[in-house]
Amino acid sequence: MSNQPRILINKPVFFTSGAFILGLVLFAAIAPQILQQLFDSMQAWIFGNASWFYMLAVAIILISTIYAALSRFGDIKLGPDHSEPDFRDPTWYSMLFAAGMGIGLMFFGVAEPVMHFLEPPTGEGGTADAARQAMGITFFHWGLHAWSIYAIVALILAYFSFRHGLPLTLRSALYPMLGDRIYGPIGHAVDVFAIIGTVFGVATSLGVGVAQINTGLNYLFGIPVGVSVQVLLIILACGLATISAASGLNKGIKILSELNMILAILLMLFVMLVGPTVFLLQTFVENTGVYLSGMVSRTFNLYAYSPNDWIGGWTVFYWGWWISWSPFVGVFIARISRGRSIRQFVGGVLLMPTGFTFMWMTVFGDTAIHLIMSEGMADLAETVSNDATVALFVFLEQLPWSALMCTIAVAMVLVFFVTSADSGALVVDQLASGGAENPPVWQRIFWSVLMGAVAIVLLMADGLSALQTATIATALPFSVVLLFSIWGLFKALKLDSMKRQLRSRSLSRGSASVSAESWQQRLRNMVMMPRRRHVERFINEIVRGAMESVSEELHKQGYAALIRDEEGGQITLIVAHGEQLDFAYSVYPMEVARPSLTPEEVENDEERRYYRAEVHLGEGGQDYDIMGWSRDQIIGDILDQYERHRHYLRLTH
């Protein structure tokens, strides 16, 4: 029978966020017009007076993210030094893409390029220059800037959680500034903010997005477009999301993400092959060049000398949307990224989704523009201008096997909604439980059902737009917090890098004498392939004795030192330093594959195993084996590592 508690929540966060959500939903249901006016005026003020700050903040975020990967910090792992990724690369890409913006590509893949093509921010619409400009703008809105926002939030959370043992909640991003005060009211408030933003972000996306599914079903089967149908669709999506969330990260979410990634690739390849293939290949190269060559100017272009409403309605709106979603997506990406180095993480989160997004936007956007420009399909342009929800299906109607393709598109939209909802339930449960890794299943079910219920109430009360506006408005205060968190991240990375440099010095073998016998013993230790029981006996007899000697001497010097036996035969010496970082030196048996190094072993290709007595510090495995070392040699190694630790404390004090 499981010993897992029935309830595992952080009460101040759980109940406070629940009260706020209930209050806002009731307000939106009772007086949606008043709430809409309130948030519209708030958003108008932000766009009118703080656009410069949004643009500058996103530029700093992108530069910081790239610097973290390319600098000396890139080799630092999001976890102990010996950790390995929890998920293989294709699964990881699928999961972060599905949670990040998969549904957005379905909705805007055709609509946004066409809208920019018809009404560009400068110049005349409907021309070749407008088409080039439209794709450059679309790449800009969905490219590196957007993914860098998700990446930096996820990087901050994953680093402090997996590397420093802090809870995987948004409060941990403030640790460099607040220290242990993150466990108090300020930390609670930050997590409440993240939960409210996630619940309303997912709920509004469910409510707004079912309109696209409803439109697709109307095209395919004549199902009427209306609130009642959309409510049923939300119930269906949240029912599937509840099942997926209950099954856990390694089953439902993983399987659905991989399925939708496969469908997305197949649909994109189909459109590319039946569409103007050569034209699409040409425009992909040209679009990428336009994007890269204009990145700096677009990043800082506020149209200050020729003011218009375009920048607020598009770029600033997008930056606010990505930032407001970053707590949810950031926590989820952090959750699935344990064990990767910062360089691997940033490279994967920035480059892979961005590359796929560019190809998707080119295939769908440029094919639609080609149909309008070269084949005179004015109806497609008019339809997209009037109703963006129908853009994808009207577009697919122009291609062969349109009914089948529309069916696949509807299924993809539905699955993208399911993956957003189940990822959202997982993240909110993580936040509300104080960062617990395996809270009770009923809690994930509760949050999944709640988000569906909120979406239904807001849809029926016509309050979705107000809450969507409110969600975007929250981006302004969070962007300020995020900039301070980036400063704290680099401060911590600098200290971590300094510690790694100290540890990288050559390891001593203690006070071993260089006698004729010592090199022979050393050679025997090198070629020895011991079994587990041999390593465990060595740890219990030799290593323990060495640790006891060091511990006794430290006690005489007035230090608090203890030896702790842990699971798996591990033994740890801990030296407490009060408010400073404690020193921990662990040895435990590690199973590894036995290499074939002699002619006899090469002939027998059966994989065999042997064990090493691996040394671990607080930062993780050090990748060296002390099996066969003498008691004095182990004491020497402990003292070497402890000396480096004390030197690190002196440098950082």
Side-chain angles (χ1 to χ4, degrees):
M1 190 172 184
S2 174
N3 293 323
Q4 187 184 52
R6 294 184 179 180
I7 300 176
L8 190 60
I9 59 173
N10 184 340
K11 291 182 180 179
V13 173
F14 183 91
F15 290 112
T16 304
S17 59
F20 267 103
I21 290 168
L22 179 62
L24 281 171
V25 169
L26 289 176
F27 194 177
I30 296 170
Q33 291 80 14
I34 296 175
L35 196 65
Q36 184 69 57
Q37 290 173 1
L38 174 65
F39 290 134
D40 278 347
S41 61
M42 185 187 305
Q43 181 171 288
W45 183 91
I46 290 172
F47 287 174
N49 297 279
S51 294
W52 65 271
F53 179 75
Y54 272 121
M55 301 292 278
L56 184 61
V58 173
I60 293 172
I61 289 169
L62 176 60
I63 293 169
S64 300
T65 307
I66 294 173
Y67 175 73
L70 299 181
S71 68
R72 68 183 189 275
F73 306 140
D75 292 331
I76 297 174
K77 283 199 172 183
L78 301 177
D81 288 338
H82 63 281
S83 57
E84 295 295 330
D86 290 343
F87 299 96
R88 60 193 182 93
D89 286 349
T91 300
W92 184 57
Y93 296 140
S94 300
M95 292 168 76
L96 67 88
F97 186 79
M101 54 181 66
I103 188 60
L105 296 187
M106 299 296 293
F107 192 88
F108 287 105
V110 172
E112 182 170 347
V114 171
M115 286 190 280
H116 292 320
F117 168 66
L118 298 175
E119 296 183 22
T122 59
E124 182 183 352
T127 64
D129 184 64
R132 190 179 300 107
Q133 190 178 169
M135 295 310 301
I137 293 169
T138 303
F139 275 29
F140 178 61
H141 288 160
W142 293 82
L144 295 176
H145 293 73
W147 281 101
S148 69
I149 295 170
Y150 291 161
I152 200 67
V153 176
L155 176 59
I156 293 168
L157 296 175
Y159 175 77
F160 286 113
S161 177
F162 301 142
R163 187 84 176 168
H164 292 278
L166 297 177
L168 186 56
T169 63
L170 198 62
R171 70 177 68 204
S172 296
L174 303 179
Y175 186 78
M177 293 171 286
L178 301 179
D180 289 339
R181 284 179 292 169
I182 64 168
Y183 298 107
I186 298 177
H188 296 332
V190 170
D191 284 348
V192 167
F193 167 83
I195 288 175
I196 294 172
T198 300
V199 169
F200 285 129
V202 174
T204 51
S205 289
L206 281 170
V208 173
V210 290
Q212 189 180 30
I213 303 177
N214 197 176
T215 302
L217 293 175
N218 177 263
Y219 262 80
L220 289 170
F221 309 112
I223 295 174
V225 176
V227 173
S228 58
V229 174
Q230 292 171 15
V231 168
L232 290 174
L233 289 171
I234 290 176
I235 293 173
L236 173 62
C238 286
L240 294 172
T242 300
I243 296 171
S244 176
S247 67
L249 188 63
N250 289 307
K251 294 182 181 177
I253 298 175
K254 172 184 172 182
I255 293 170
L256 287 176
S257 298
E258 290 180 333
L259 170 64
N260 235 26
M261 195 66 184
I262 292 171
L263 290 176
I265 292 172
L266 292 176
L267 181 61
M268 183 176 68
L269 288 175
F270 171 79
V271 174
M272 186 174 179
L273 292 174
V274 302
T277 307
V278 175
F279 171 74
L280 294 178
L281 293 173
Q282 292 173 334
T283 55
F284 176 75
V285 175
E286 185 169 339
N287 294 341
T288 304
V290 169
Y291 168 73
L292 293 175
S293 63
M295 182 183 293
V296 174
S297 61
R298 288 194 187 280
T299 297
F300 298 99
N301 186 5
L302 283 158
Y303 297 93
Y305 295 103
S306 55
N308 59 51
D309 295 333
W310 187 91
I311 188 73
W314 283 103
T315 303
V316 177
F317 177 88
Y318 265 123
W319 288 179
W321 184 247
W322 301 141
I323 293 171
S324 68
W325 266 70
S326 62
F328 152 47
V329 180
V331 172
F332 181 76
I333 293 177
R335 174 67 180 81
I336 63 175
S337 301
R338 188 203 315 256
R340 297 180 184 274
S341 71
I342 290 177
R343 187 169 292 116
Q344 291 172 332
F345 171 83
V346 172
V349 175
L350 280 191
L351 300 181
M352 291 301 294
T354 298
F356 184 84
T357 299
F358 285 0
M359 181 58 76
W360 180 278
M361 288 298 190
T362 297
V363 168
F364 285 82
D366 268 321
T367 301
I369 290 173
H370 183 269
L371 290 174
I372 297 170
M373 283 185 65
S374 302
E375 301 187 21
M377 292 189 179
D379 291 345
L380 176 59
E382 184 179 352
T383 303
V384 171
S385 299
N386 294 334
D387 185 2
T389 62
V390 77
L392 177 63
F393 304 106
V394 173
F395 167 77
L396 291 175
E397 275 193 333
Q398 316 306 318
L399 305 177
W401 302 341
S402 59
L404 175 61
M405 293 303 108
C406 285
T407 303
I408 293 174
V410 169
M412 287 176 61
V413 173
L414 179 61
V415 175
F416 271 130
F417 275 117
V418 171
T419 53
S420 292
D422 59 15
S423 302
L426 184 77
V427 167
V428 173
D429 189 27
Q430 184 114 27
L431 294 167
S433 63
E437 291 217 4
N438 295 298
V441 173
W442 75 264
Q443 292 180 199
R444 293 197 295 273
I445 296 174
F446 166 78
W447 289 111
S448 179
V449 172
L450 177 66
M451 286 187 288
V454 169
I456 290 171
V457 172
L458 294 176
L459 180 66
M460 297 181 71
D462 197 26
L464 283 168
S465 180
L467 267 299
Q468 185 180 38
T469 305
T471 302
I472 296 169
T474 62
L476 181 61
F478 181 65
S479 60
V480 177
V481 173
L482 185 53
L483 292 178
F484 279 107
S485 299
I486 292 171
W487 171 81
L489 171 68
F490 282 109
K491 181 180 177 182
L493 288 174
K494 183 178 179 181
L495 296 177
D496 201 327
S497 179
M498 184 187 304
K499 195 169 187 179
R500 285 163 56 86
Q501 288 174 4
L502 291 173
R503 293 203 316 269
S504 67
R505 295 176 182 174
S506 59
L507 292 171
S508 167
R509 289 188 60 84
S511 57
S513 60
V514 186
S515 64
E517 195 173 14
S518 66
W519 71 265
Q520 294 168 325
Q521 179 63 42
R522 183 176 177 184
L523 178 60
R524 283 195 291 271
N525 293 339
M526 290 169 58
V527 301
M528 181 170 49
M529 302 286 183
R531 298 180 183 273
R532 183 184 182 95
R533 66 175 183 272
H534 298 142
V535 175
E536 288 180 342
R537 185 167 63 243
F538 170 76
I539 291 174
N540 286 325
E541 295 176 0
I542 309 300
V543 176
R544 184 183 300 276
M547 288 184 175
E548 287 173 349
S549 297
V550 175
S551 177
E552 289 172 8
E553 187 61 31
L554 284 168
H555 279 296
K556 292 178 184 178
Q557 301 295 331
Y559 287 89
L562 62 91
I563 298 170
R564 187 169 63 199
D565 290 297
E566 302 183 69
E567 293 182 4
Q570 178 178 348
I571 184 172
T572 303
L573 170 66
I574 299 174
V575 184
H577 287 141
E579 294 183 358
Q580 299 296 318
L581 183 66
D582 293 343
F583 172 72
Y585 182 99
S586 302
V587 181
Y588 75 90
M590 174 177 284
E591 183 182 27
V592 292
R594 180 172 179 169
S596 299
L597 301 176
T598 66
E600 293 78 9
E601 290 171 339
V602 170
E603 290 177 6
N604 182 7
D605 60 357
E606 244 179 71
E607 184 181 41
R608 294 168 294 171
R609 317 293 291 180
Y610 79 103
Y611 284 81
R612 291 158 50 95
E614 284 265 0
V615 172
H616 281 229
L617 302 178
E619 301 78 27
Q622 300 305 296
D623 199 29
Y624 68 95
D625 178 18
I626 62 171
M627 181 63 188
W629 287 23
S630 70
R631 176 177 166 278
D632 287 343
Q633 289 171 336
I634 295 171
I635 290 175
D637 189 54
I638 294 173
L639 296 182
D640 284 341
Q641 296 290 8
Y642 185 50
E643 183 178 29
R644 294 186 183 98
H645 182 81
R646 290 178 67 91
H647 183 47
Y648 168 75
L649 294 181
R650 282 194 296 271
L651 291 174
T652 58
H653 182 61

